Amino acid sequence: MEALRDGDRRALGTLYDRHATALHTFLLRWTGDSATAEDLMHDTFLRLLRPALSYDGRGRFRTWLYRIARNLATDRFRRAGRWTELGDLPEPVSDRPSPLDDLEALEERVRLEDALGHLAPGQREVLL
């Protein structure tokens, strides 16, 4: 990444060769669509050419690269209306006849949301 930042455009090819397959797999799992994953992967690598986007070398390059990819995927889902925030989820529909069963399900949901609230952001993201 330092070579790319210093103007060596060939370094992008090296980074692509090293990370493209794993990044595509990550994006495929994130999106569920190979063509979308491919587009996002290419967009991610093109982002590396932007001078305003600076990699400072403090963290791992791979983590930084995947964060760019994840942010691009999230933005695409939001624009397409496919992103749902947790608060926007519909209430669970209960087919149980007893109101007591419904109350127990609600209490369980409250406990689950409370537990999610106590997780570190990265752990919560994996579960959500």
Side-chain angles (χ1 to χ4, degrees):
M1 187 58 200
E2 291 173 6
L4 181 62
R5 195 173 47 208
D6 292 341
D8 182 1
R9 298 296 177 158
R10 291 175 297 154
L12 182 62
T14 301
L15 291 171
Y16 185 90
D17 291 342
R18 286 183 188 163
H19 299 282
T21 301
L23 185 63
H24 183 269
T25 301
F26 167 78
L27 288 166
L28 180 59
R29 288 183 179 145
W30 186 265
T31 64
D33 179 65
S34 185
T36 301
E38 184 87 11
D39 288 344
L40 288 168
M41 181 187 67
H42 289 262
D43 290 347
T44 300
F45 281 103
L46 288 175
R47 283 281 172 107
L48 300 182
L49 295 174
R50 290 189 178 178
L53 196 59
S54 61
Y55 173 66
D56 61 14
R58 286 185 292 175
R60 293 185 61 197
F61 171 76
R62 185 175 179 188
T63 303
W64 182 72
L65 181 69
Y66 279 56
R67 179 168 289 144
I68 293 170
R70 187 196 66 194
N71 289 343
L72 287 171
T74 300
D75 289 346
R76 183 173 291 193
F77 285 153
R78 282 192 177 125
R79 281 193 308 272
R82 291 175 48 198
W83 187 261
T84 304
E85 298 293 337
L86 182 59
D88 297 336
L89 293 174
E91 290 294 319
V93 178
S94 175
D95 57 354
R96 300 179 197 152
S98 168
L100 182 58
D101 289 336
D102 289 339
L103 180 59
E104 289 173 355
L106 179 60
E107 289 174 346
E108 185 175 330
R109 179 185 171 118
V110 168
R111 285 193 304 271
L112 177 61
E113 288 178 358
D114 182 57
L116 285 171
H118 286 86
L119 292 174
Q123 294 169 331
R124 184 173 39 248
E125 180 180 3
V126 170
L127 289 173
L128 294 177

